[in-house]
Structure formats: C-alpha cells, structure tokens
Amino acid sequence: MHVKTFLITGGAGFIGSAVVRELIHNTKHTVVNIDKLTYAGNLESLASIEGSDRYTFEQADICDAQAMQRLFEKYQPDVVMHLAAESHVDRSIDGPAEFIQTNVVGTAVLLEAARSYWNGLEGERRAAFRFHHISTDEVYGDLEGTDDLFTEQTPYAPSSPYSASKASSDHLVRAWQRTYGLPTLVTNCSNNYGPYHFPEKLIPLMILNALAGKPLPVYGDGQQIRDWLFVEDHARALIKVATEGSVGETYNIGGHNEKANLAVVETLCDLLQELVPQETSYRELITFVTDRPGHDVRYAIDASKIEHELGWVPQETFETGLRKTVQWYLVNETWWKRVQDGSYQGQRLGSL
Ligand SMILES: NC(=O)c1ccc[n+]([C@@H]2O[C@H](COP(=O)([O-])OP(=O)(O)OC[C@H]3O[C@@H](n4cnc5c(N)ncnc54)[C@H](O)[C@@H]3O)[C@@H](O)[C@H]2O)c1
C-alpha cells in the first residue's frame, strides 16, 4: 500500500478522533490533525495515539487563510479529510453566526488553501490528491413517507442553521470541483454514536443522566426517527471513500438502523438495567420536554452506492454498537468527568 499523508481537520472532535485513531492503529499512513480546539475538541480522545511518530497535532482555525496555506506547504498532504465544523443543532439555533463562520467561510478558506497547494503539485502527486468533505444527511431535510430513503440524488432542503451551513459547504466543495477541477469527494452520513461522544448529544447525555439519577429529557413525543451508525464504522467508511472513491462523487453513509428517539432512550435504559442494575427502572427517569423548533421528523439513508461501489458495510448492528458504547462510558469515567467539569479544556495551554 502506498503510504500517504492525511491532513485531517477537526481531528480532536468525536468523528475526527475516530478517523485519526483508525488511521494510526490500523494503517501505515501519516496524520496531521488541524483543530482549533473549540469546546468540542478534546485531545484526551487521542491519548492512545499521541505518542505515534506518524501523528502530528497543529492547533489552528480553518478560517485563518495564512495558517492554512502555511500548513499545506509544511506538510504536503496527499489527502485532506475535512471534518472541522460546528456540529450541534441546538447550539446553531441559539447562535447561528459561528456555524456560518466555521462551516461556510472556513470550508471556503480551506478549499482555497487546498486549490493553491494542488495547483503547485505535478504529475502523479497532483493526479492522486484528494479533498474529502465530510457532511451530514441533515442537508436533505426530513422524509414524509415511512418507506422513503435519502439517496445521493435527493434534493437539498435543510431545516436548521446547522444543516443549512453544512449544505452551503457541500455546494462550495462541488463548485470547486466543477469550476477548478479540484479532486473532491463528499460524504453525507446519518447520526453517529459511540465512544468519546460529547455528553451534550442524545446517547451520551442519556447514559450519563441515567447513571446520575437525573431526568432523561426527550423532545416532543420522542417519535422523531434517526438512522444510527457506530462511529468506528463511519471512520472506516470515510477512509475507504478518501482512498478508493471516485473523484466528484457523493456517497451516502448509513447503518440501516432507523429508530425513534424514544425507543433509543428506552433501549439504553434496559441496557443500563442489565449492566448496572437498580431497584426502579431507569425508564422512570424519562421526561418529555418541548420540541426543538423546526425539528425534522424522519431521516433514513440509502447507503447502497457505497456498499456496491466500494464494498463498505457496517460491522456493528445497533444492538452491538449500543452495548459497546454503554460499556465504554462505564469504564471511561475519567474521560467524561473531565468533560463535564471542564478540566479537559486545560489541554489548550499545553498544545499552544
Ligand atoms: N456527529 C454526527 O452524528 C455527524 C453525522 C454526519 C456528519 N457529521 C459531520 O462530521 C463532522 C464531524 O462531526 P463531529 O460530531 O465529530 O463534530 P464535533 O463537534 O465533535 O467536532 C468538531 C471538531 O472541529 C473542531 N473545530 C470547530 N471549529 C473549528 C475551526 N474553525 N477550525 C478548526 N477546527 C475547528 C472542534 O474543535 C472539534 O474538534 C462535522 O463536519 C459534522 O457536520 C457529524
């Protein structure tokens, strides 16, 4: 296998750190992780690989054009995997400006830095360069019918400031491919879950609240349907697309695990009851709260293209992945306690 240098943006985040761990643990490639370390960035998620001589961390903002240009020149990447983003829908409703800045402006800055660097490449290195943009199925809006699936041809209809900013960035990436010939790839994935997930997101929030005996807040009637994918399956899919995908193509990635939010929370309660038994069922902690404005009802992904063309299939079912996730939170209390009390942010000073 030809060893490549991967430039990963957002590699200290939930999915980015899974990609970095997968590349270092299971391939021979070299990784440069560029991350601003916002509240969502946590270098402690990379503790298992930080000693590798194939791994380098650079704290930088993707909106900083000079810094991006300098880093492209310094590391001469073969592949860019762009995951840096503001990613939490509720935060985008409270404060959309940061989402426009990082997700839209930041992507444009990164595309320009990549284009300028790629223009200076020659021969095989220029032909083999790839810019892989990582996006979400939320750009498609929501599905009405119970049998419909998002395909790569589904028109964009984003509902939240988050999904609108991701949709904008997807359009920019495709325009840079069409206009300048930059060799890009786009992936749109369903909801991820798994180890190292920031505890503001549904699954880790519910696990940690349940363990603390706190209420389990479910939006509306809890019947919103999401298609769940174990984060390590997503990381493997992303590396496959970045290394084997066809230039200019889009690949939808999903786990064929459509579940109503309430059913997810109930399953978590039952798993906890088995692993950490208590007298009253954890289900009694479930409370229904006012629904999120503009909340999409149903997402479901048709992942047949990546399965047929690249031979990727998820290794985990929802049941095995959820069990692994709960078990991970049970034995990694130090990681999540340091997120909850904010001490994980002390890492910033150390890395500057
Ligand atoms: N989480 C999901 O379920 C999901 C599903 C599909 C697609 N995605 C996409 O995958 C990507 C990663 O998602 P995630 O859940 O890991 O997000 P995350 O919020 O956990 O991580 C984002 C990372 O980006 C970094 N970052 C933010 N702004 C930055 C900036 N201006 N410059 C440099 N770094 C910056 C943060 O510090 C953090 O480490 C995002 O683009 C997201 O839209 C996420």
Side-chain angles (χ1 to χ4, degrees):
M1 180 181 54
H2 180 55
V3 174
K4 294 175 189 280
T5 297
F6 281 67
L7 190 156
I8 312 272
T9 71
F14 170 50
I15 301 171
S17 69
V19 172
V20 174
R21 290 191 304 270
E22 177 69 19
L23 281 167
I24 296 297
H25 285 312
N26 296 324
T27 76
K28 302 231 175 313
H29 299 304
T30 296
V31 175
V32 181
N33 173 14
I34 296 180
D35 199 296
K36 181 180 170 183
L37 296 182
T38 67
Y39 80 94
N42 187 348
L43 291 179
E44 293 173 20
S45 304
L46 295 163
S48 67
I49 56 92
E50 68 182 356
S52 167
D53 58 6
R54 292 186 288 116
Y55 171 72
T56 311
F57 173 66
E58 291 275 359
Q59 185 169 6
D61 186 338
I62 56 163
C63 301
D64 180 342
Q66 281 185 342
M68 290 308 111
Q69 204 173 346
R70 183 177 56 77
L71 292 169
F72 271 91
E73 288 309 318
K74 183 172 173 186
Y75 292 106
Q76 301 279 309
D78 302 295
V79 180
V80 175
M81 292 177 77
H82 174 36
L83 296 104
E86 287 293 334
S87 70
H88 190 42
V89 176
D90 290 341
R91 286 180 188 256
S92 83
I93 294 168
D94 294 343
E98 198 61 37
F99 285 69
I100 311 302
Q101 183 62 19
T102 285
N103 299 1
V104 185
V105 177
T107 299
V109 167
L110 196 69
L111 281 165
E112 277 300 81
R115 183 167 76 93
S116 154
Y117 162 75
W118 173 70
N119 275 334
L121 294 178
E122 286 175 0
E124 175 53 27
R125 288 213 64 205
R126 181 179 163 90
F129 180 78
R130 296 288 181 270
F131 184 106
H132 176 187
H133 175 64
I134 284 80
S135 191
T136 166
D137 63 352
E138 298 191 30
V139 297
Y140 299 124
D142 61 359
L143 291 163
E144 302 265 319
T146 48
D147 296 331
D148 299 344
L149 296 171
F150 295 133
T151 72
E152 288 80 0
Q153 280 73 46
T154 302
Y156 276 27
S159 310
S160 70
Y162 163 66
S163 52
S165 68
K166 290 297 292 186
S168 310
S169 63
D170 295 8
H171 290 318
L172 291 175
V173 173
R174 293 193 181 101
W176 259 243
Q177 199 271 324
R178 179 88 190 255
T179 306
Y180 305 112
L182 188 71
T184 65
L185 300 139
V186 177
T187 49
N188 296 86
C189 186
S190 58
N191 276 35
N192 283 214
Y193 69 98
Y196 302 100
H197 207 181
F198 199 81
E200 68 184 353
K201 303 281 174 103
L202 179 77
I203 288 180
L205 180 76
M206 296 300 162
I207 297 171
L208 300 187
N209 274 16
L211 288 173
K214 291 184 185 165
L216 306 179
V218 172
Y219 280 129
D221 59 4
Q223 292 313 310
Q224 310 86 356
I225 292 172
R226 300 289 177 266
D227 183 353
W228 294 94
L229 181 67
F230 191 61
V231 67
E232 291 169 15
D233 276 322
H234 188 197
R236 286 184 279 266
L238 292 178
I239 294 166
K240 214 169 204 344
V241 170
T243 53
E244 298 171 33
S246 301
V247 167
E249 291 295 317
T250 295
Y251 298 90
N252 279 354
I253 308 173
H256 304 299
N257 290 310
E258 285 179 49
K259 309 277 173 198
N261 284 345
L262 180 59
V264 171
V265 177
E266 287 173 345
T267 309
L268 280 172
C269 289
D270 298 345
L271 263 172
L272 281 168
Q273 192 62 33
E274 181 195 323
L275 297 168
V276 192
Q278 61 170 30
E279 244 167 58
T280 49
S281 163
Y282 289 96
R283 285 187 184 217
E284 306 224 336
L285 296 169
I286 295 173
T287 52
F288 295 93
V289 299
T290 312
D291 207 355
R292 171 192 270 171
H295 208 169
D296 289 332
V297 176
R298 177 170 171 262
Y299 304 142
I301 278 266
D302 176 353
S304 52
K305 178 174 171 183
I306 186 174
E307 290 174 14
H308 293 145
E309 292 188 13
L310 301 181
W312 171 87
V313 281
Q315 293 180 10
E316 302 293 341
T317 63
F318 189 62
E319 288 65 32
T320 61
L322 206 59
R323 182 174 289 271
K324 279 189 178 175
T325 305
V326 173
Q327 283 168 331
W328 187 88
Y329 279 90
L330 291 176
V331 295
N332 287 280
E333 205 174 303
T334 311
W335 182 90
W336 55 262
K337 284 224 155 125
R338 285 175 58 77
V339 174
Q340 284 181 329
D341 69 17
S343 50
Y344 75 106
Q345 293 187 304
Q347 60 185 319
R348 281 162 180 67
L349 294 173
S351 59
L352 280 171

